[in-house]
């Protein structure tokens, strides 16, 4: 219940959790990009003339954009794309393999728990409406 005693809109808990994970992951990916740049300041272009630093910065931006789009029907799937690319960024910064796997596990856990909480809140709201 909100402060004006109206039921909370349903189905937002999972979106909030996933957006939080993706937003935090965007920051971590950016710091990983800085680390990679610090370890190898003279990076050679790898894809379309872009260096690993630029690619990882673009991935960090994608993670933040995906956090904003997670409510859309394609949002959770876009989040999984970010997870896969974050794991693959370990090619340039080895520790990103571990970071990417940890965030992928966290993302999957939040998706599962978020759906369960949303279902429970919807059932509780129906129960209250029926009373």
């Amino acid at each position: 219940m909100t402060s004006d005693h109206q039921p909370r809109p349903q189905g937002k808990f999972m979106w909030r959790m996933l957006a939080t994970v993706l937003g935090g992951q965007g920051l971590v990916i950016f710091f990983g990009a800085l680390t990679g740049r610090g370890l190898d300041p003279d990076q050679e272009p790898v894809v379309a003339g872009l260096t690993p630093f630029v690619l990882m910065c673009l991935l960090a931006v994608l993670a933040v954009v995906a956090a904003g789009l997670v409510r859309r029907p394609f949002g959770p799937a876009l989040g999984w794309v970010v997870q896969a690319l974050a794991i693959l960024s370990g090619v340039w910064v080895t520790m990103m393999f571990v970071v990417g796997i940890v965030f992928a596990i966290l993302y999957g856990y939040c998706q599962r728990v978020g759906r369960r909480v949303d279902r429970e809140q919807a059932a509780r709201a129906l129960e209250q409406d029926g009373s």
Side-chain angles (χ1 to χ4, degrees), residues 26-27 35 38-39 64 66-67 75 79 90 92 114 116:
L27 290 172
T35 301
L39 293 173
V64 172
W92 300 302
R116 187 188 68 201

Side-chain angles (χ1 to χ4, degrees), residues 5-23:
H5 302 290
Q6 295 296 320
R8 223 169 82 174
Q10 300 299 313
K12 290 188 174 185
F13 190 77
M14 182 183 76
W15 296 340
R16 290 177 181 157
M17 289 180 69
L18 296 180
T20 301
V21 170
L22 287 167

Side-chain angles (χ1 to χ4, degrees), residues 2 7 12-13 17 19 21 23 25 35 50 54 58 61 73 75 79-80 84 87 100 116 121 123 125 127 131:
T2 60
K12 290 188 174 185
F13 190 77
M17 289 180 69
V21 170
Q25 187 174 16
T35 301
L50 301 175
V54 172
L58 291 173
V61 170
W80 282 112
I87 293 169
R116 187 188 68 201
Q121 287 179 346
E127 194 174 283
S131 300

